[in-house]
Amino acid sequence: MSNSDVAADQSGGVQSVDRAITILEVLARHGEVGVTEVALELGVHKSTAFRLVSTLENHGLVEQSGDRGKYRLGVGLLRLAGATTARLDVVQEARPICKRLAAETGETVNVAVLSGSSALYLDQIAGSSALQPHNWVGQHIPLHATSNGKVLLSGLDEDDLDDVLHELPALTGLTVTKRSRLRKELAVVREQGYATAVDELEEGLTAAAAPIRNAHGDVIASLSVSGPTFRLGEEKMTTVVPQLTEAALEVSHRLGWGHR
Amino acid sequence: MSNSDVAADQSGGVQSVDRAITILEVLARHGEVGVTEVALELGVHKSTAFRLVSTLENHGLVEQSGDRGKYRLGVGLLRLAGATTARLDVVQEARPICKRLAAETGETVNVAVLSGSSALYLDQIAGSSALQPHNWVGQHIPLHATSNGKVLLSGLDEDDLDDVLHELPALTGLTVTKRSRLRKELAVVREQGYATAVDELEEGLTAAAAPIRNAHGDVIASLSVSGPTFRLGEEKMTTVVPQLTEAALEVSHRLGWGHR
DNA sequence: GGGTGAGTTGCGTCCACGGCAACGCATTCT
DNA sequence: AGAATGCGTTGCCGTGGACGCAACTCACCC
């Protein structure tokens, strides 16, 4: 359970601020907590906990339910978080991680988002290999024939899927063209947390993609590694995919995803 | 006079926590700020500001750009804010419906509630994920100049209206500044079940909003669609408004409205 | 009515916090 | 190049502010 994990203190900073923030984290975990319980969790006296909570309340970071009731997180946090997202953008946050991923795998890394009924490529980091693919940035690519597209689709519910999917033209011999088949694949993507596409968009082009999520858990973008099929075979994929999902998760964390 | 204007302090709480939170607010306002500037704004010594900032950094509430660079708000806030909205059931229930509405209309969707004498924005879903408009979440916005505000006002009776409405400053040339005019508009809002605001808060910004009701029929929140005026013209509105009112009604149903 | 357990508050002690000054490191000026 | 400025960062005390104690006020339940 949550309690045995002390880990609270010793941050080497200002003690009271440390404690105050720990209180916020406790409230985030438990929802509604009383002063006494907070004090217990911090290992401080009731009165200390009370004063810290009061200070937080004065700034709107926590609110009290009722007159002498428990405490919970307040809307002041929304204001601060709003200011955070103002400067946060996916490309910005993802870039350093993408570069690392590109270096690790040696292949090209892309970031894409859903735009209407296609995938819009926002960023690209070229791999180290001599053979460079063309630059996808700014292009709209079919959703059903790419790993990025499948990941983005996997974040939609059934109704939205129908709005977005119109036709499934065959771009190569291996393109998925049947809706039922695609739906099955999307279920697998949701299950395993990544998607792949081998020779489905272009002959000889293989890619794998994993979801980037925001604080609410919505899939807001997709991160992919792609390269020529002859380089990205079965066994190469077994090392690339974990690196990819790890990187996507890291970006998601930077965007606030991380409720357990 | 010599020292800072501020006035944000002396909350009668724990001093260092007060200061730490003030730092967060400063960062929220200015975006990126250095230690020295923070110290100046708080009226404390550089080292004090530094230690406070460091403590915040250890918890992920602020981050440093570069190795010895300035500081900005961190992603830890997003996680806390996520936990905040998780307990607000309006946001929780509205979210999937908002997402659908945002997809249908292609414009930004907001959820707002009445907070004191302004509208507090609780959630926002961007229309097209590529380019993010201004993020209103957590902000307090004038009631008389927004569609959300008009909807929230339309749920009040005459007495409460007077308590809440103080002044009606003109924010653009089209802002409603006369009480009599506003009252007439509110009657129309009650009548037709939605409100609009064209260039009333900001030049070039158009919005429409509809009420979210609880089981008792009270207006507890407001749902809005907003975008640039050139995209949300007369004819676009004729399709958007029904989608909007439909969505708001659906959220209301989820909250128990309409089960006799 | 008395008992329990919540949140709240005054008070005195003591230590954590804040101010000082020096340092490392960039960048700019001459 | 060297000097000079100005930033973020750190060790060192002294003291003011935070903390623990204990008493208080409410609610709720035997």
Side-chain angles (χ1 to χ4, degrees):
Chain A
M1 309 309 209
S2 49
N3 54 5
S4 59
D5 63 329
V6 183
D9 297 329
Q10 92 287 351
S11 295
V14 177
Q15 189 189 52
S16 23
V17 176
D18 253 328
R19 289 171 169 173
I21 299 173
T22 306
I23 289 178
L24 291 178
E25 288 163 355
V26 168
L27 291 178
R29 263 204 307 280
H30 294 80
E32 281 212 334
V33 185
V35 166
T36 308
E37 199 177 337
V38 167
L40 216 65
E41 195 124 2
L42 294 198
V44 301
H45 195 268
K46 256 199 317 184
S47 61
T48 303
F50 172 73
R51 271 184 286 260
L52 291 170
V53 166
S54 289
T55 307
L56 292 170
E57 189 186 15
N58 287 337
H59 289 267
L61 301 196
V62 311
E63 336 173 306
Q64 192 170 208
S65 57
D67 197 22
R68 294 184 141 240
K70 300 181 168 224
Y71 288 88
R72 52 173 190 250
L73 293 179
V75 292
L77 281 169
L78 295 184
R79 168 150 234 275
L80 295 174
T84 309
T85 50
R87 79 173 165 76
L88 265 191
D89 98 274
V90 188
V91 177
Q92 192 77 6
E93 295 303 316
R95 194 146 248 278
I97 296 164
C98 289
K99 277 158 77 174
R100 206 195 55 210
L101 181 60
E104 283 173 3
T105 61
E107 300 294 346
T108 300
V109 173
N110 278 101
V111 176
V113 297
L114 195 62
S115 168
S117 48
S118 53
L120 172 62
Y121 280 66
L122 293 183
D123 200 8
Q124 170 165 326
I125 286 89
S128 54
S129 307
L131 180 50
Q132 298 283 347
H134 81 278
N135 194 332
W136 302 98
V137 173
Q139 304 227 19
H140 290 264
I141 314 285
L143 288 167
H144 69 290
T146 56
S147 55
N148 275 323
K150 290 178 195 169
V151 164
L152 295 170
L153 289 174
S154 76
L156 301 178
D157 55 33
E158 289 299 315
D159 297 342
D160 293 332
L161 253 185
D162 286 330
D163 294 346
V164 162
L165 287 182
H166 303 123
E167 292 164 6
L168 308 180
L171 301 166
T172 72
L174 290 179
T175 307
V176 178
T177 56
K178 288 218 173 61
R179 282 186 179 235
S180 54
R181 166 83 192 288
L182 185 57
R183 275 175 205 281
K184 266 184 204 157
E185 278 209 25
L186 295 184
V188 174
V189 170
R190 272 186 286 268
E191 168 72 23
Q192 67 189 7
Y194 68 91
T196 58
V198 180
D199 296 351
E200 295 175 34
L201 176 67
E202 252 180 45
E203 290 286 354
L205 182 65
T206 289
I212 295 175
R213 300 173 189 276
N214 67 6
H216 300 283
D218 307 324
V219 176
I220 57 162
S222 174
L223 188 64
S224 70
V225 172
S226 58
T229 303
F230 67 81
R231 273 210 308 259
L232 284 175
E234 291 275 347
E235 72 279 27
K236 180 73 187 289
M237 279 300 215
T238 62
T239 70
V240 166
V241 165
Q243 291 172 320
L244 167 68
T245 53
E246 169 65 25
L249 199 62
E250 201 175 330
V251 177
S252 300
H253 279 139
R254 291 194 63 80
L255 299 174
W257 168 237
H259 323 231
R260 20 223 79 170
Chain B
M1 319 324 165
S2 56
N3 59 5
S4 48
D5 39 315
V6 191
D9 294 330
Q10 87 283 356
S11 301
V14 178
Q15 189 190 51
S16 17
V17 176
D18 254 329
R19 288 171 169 171
I21 299 174
T22 306
I23 289 178
L24 292 178
E25 288 163 356
V26 168
L27 291 179
R29 260 202 309 281
H30 294 87
E32 280 212 334
V33 185
V35 166
T36 307
E37 201 176 336
V38 167
L40 217 65
E41 193 124 3
L42 294 197
V44 299
H45 194 269
K46 257 201 312 185
S47 60
T48 303
F50 171 72
R51 272 184 282 260
L52 291 170
V53 166
S54 290
T55 307
L56 291 170
E57 190 187 16
N58 287 337
H59 289 266
L61 301 197
V62 312
E63 342 173 303
Q64 193 172 204
S65 57
D67 197 25
R68 301 185 134 237
K70 300 182 169 221
Y71 288 88
R72 52 171 191 251
L73 293 179
V75 294
L77 282 169
L78 296 185
R79 249 167 273 172
L80 293 175
T84 309
T85 51
R87 89 183 154 67
L88 299 170
D89 46 358
V90 186
V91 176
Q92 212 56 3
E93 295 300 323
R95 192 147 247 279
I97 297 166
C98 290
K99 276 159 69 176
R100 206 195 54 211
L101 182 60
E104 283 174 3
T105 61
E107 300 294 346
T108 300
V109 174
N110 278 104
V111 177
V113 296
L114 196 62
S115 166
S117 49
S118 53
L120 171 63
Y121 282 65
L122 293 182
D123 201 6
Q124 170 165 325
I125 287 90
S128 116
S129 14
L131 51 102
Q132 184 107 324
H134 182 102
N135 192 331
W136 301 100
V137 173
Q139 304 230 20
H140 291 264
I141 314 284
L143 288 165
H144 69 291
T146 56
S147 55
N148 274 322
K150 290 178 195 169
V151 164
L152 294 171
L153 288 174
S154 76
L156 301 178
D157 54 33
E158 290 299 315
D159 296 344
D160 292 334
L161 252 186
D162 286 329
D163 293 346
V164 161
L165 288 182
H166 303 123
E167 291 166 6
L168 308 180
L171 302 166
T172 72
L174 290 178
T175 307
V176 178
T177 54
K178 287 215 171 65
R179 281 183 180 239
S180 54
R181 167 85 192 287
L182 185 56
R183 275 173 205 282
K184 266 182 203 160
E185 278 208 24
L186 295 185
V188 174
V189 170
R190 272 186 286 267
E191 168 72 24
Q192 67 189 8
Y194 68 90
T196 59
V198 180
D199 297 350
E200 294 174 35
L201 176 67
E202 246 180 50
E203 289 285 354
L205 183 66
T206 288
I212 295 175
R213 299 173 191 275
N214 66 7
H216 303 288
D218 309 323
V219 176
I220 56 163
S222 174
L223 189 64
S224 71
V225 173
S226 59
T229 302
F230 68 81
R231 274 211 306 259
L232 285 175
E234 291 276 346
E235 72 279 28
K236 179 76 188 286
M237 279 301 216
T238 61
T239 70
V240 165
V241 165
Q243 292 172 320
L244 167 68
T245 53
E246 168 65 25
L249 200 62
E250 201 176 332
V251 177
S252 300
H253 279 139
R254 286 206 188 186
L255 298 175
W257 165 235
H259 308 219
R260 323 252 122 130

